[in-house]
Amino acid sequence: AAAEYVNGQLERTMNVYIHPSCEMNPFAEQIHGISMDYLDEHGIEPSDALRQFFDFLGSDVLLVAHNNRFDMRMLQQECAKFDVAFEPEGVQLCDTLALSRRLRPDLKSHALGNLLEPLGIEGINSHDALDDTLACAGVFFKLVTDAT
């Protein structure tokens, strides 16, 4: 999932489900509420999902993610696995995990779900990709606004 904001306003989102390339751990279904049957019916191929993400992302953008080192490493691994070019041109990264640790060292936890209430952000951290994306955006805008 991804969301595009322009001047602080949500412009558009993307959200796709992916056909898994291996059997899904039953614990994952309990956490996410998404079954293999659902993914078989609604999912797309991983390579198509990666291409859609990069098309959505475009170039010369700020990519905001919570713990983006992990996300970027996973993107690189998945691109290599499915033979998709990983060439984010002009993409700058902002990590809300590092940002929250730096700007709000008073908080006990900097996990995404644990930041929403103390920062007064509406939203949920539900382990749904789009919910998490929107929650991350809320954290980013709140931290940046409070810092200025």
Side-chain angles (χ1 to χ4, degrees), residues 11-58:
E11 287 289 316
R12 62 189 178 119
T13 62
M14 73 158 286
N15 191 30
V16 298
Y17 293 95
I18 300 172
H19 288 287
S21 58
C22 61
E23 279 300 311
M24 187 169 66
N25 182 321
F27 184 65
E29 184 176 342
Q30 291 174 341
I31 291 174
H32 299 283
I34 301 170
S35 68
M36 283 294 287
D37 290 339
Y38 185 88
L39 294 175
D40 286 340
E41 184 176 340
H42 300 285
I44 64 174
E45 292 304 310
S47 58
D48 293 334
L50 289 164
R51 287 184 190 98
Q52 283 185 30
F53 173 74
F54 289 126
D55 287 345
F56 183 89
L57 182 63

Side-chain angles (χ1 to χ4, degrees), residues 2 11 13 16 31 82 99 104 107 112 126-128 132 145:
E11 287 289 316
T13 62
V16 298
I31 291 174
F82 295 104
L99 195 61
R104 292 299 307 268
L107 297 176
L112 182 60
S126 65
H127 294 287
D128 172 86
D132 290 354
T145 300

Side-chain angles (χ1 to χ4, degrees), residues 13-145:
T13 62
M14 73 158 286
N15 191 30
V16 298
Y17 293 95
I18 300 172
H19 288 287
S21 58
C22 61
E23 279 300 311
M24 187 169 66
N25 182 321
F27 184 65
E29 184 176 342
Q30 291 174 341
I31 291 174
H32 299 283
I34 301 170
S35 68
M36 283 294 287
D37 290 339
Y38 185 88
L39 294 175
D40 286 340
E41 184 176 340
H42 300 285
I44 64 174
E45 292 304 310
S47 58
D48 293 334
L50 289 164
R51 287 184 190 98
Q52 283 185 30
F53 173 74
F54 289 126
D55 287 345
F56 183 89
L57 182 63
S59 60
D60 300 320
V61 297
L62 176 64
L63 177 59
V64 177
H66 201 74
N67 192 6
N68 65 16
R69 285 186 296 181
F70 172 81
D71 292 337
M72 295 307 286
R73 200 167 41 247
M74 292 301 297
L75 271 174
Q76 289 170 335
Q77 287 175 3
E78 294 302 299
C79 284
K81 182 177 178 181
F82 295 104
D83 197 30
V84 173
F86 180 78
E87 301 169 2
E89 185 177 316
V91 174
Q92 296 181 19
L93 301 175
C94 177
D95 185 351
T96 53
L97 175 61
L99 195 61
S100 69
R101 285 177 174 159
R102 183 172 192 204
L103 297 176
R104 292 299 307 268
D106 58 301
L107 297 176
K108 291 180 183 178
S109 171
H110 295 275
L112 182 60
N114 296 337
L115 291 173
L116 302 181
E117 186 178 329
L119 295 177
I121 298 168
E122 289 186 31
I124 55 174
N125 175 238
S126 65
H127 294 287
D128 172 86
L130 187 55
D131 287 346
D132 290 354
T133 297
L134 299 174
C136 182
V139 167
F140 171 76
F141 286 119
K142 177 67 173 167
L143 290 171
V144 170
T145 300

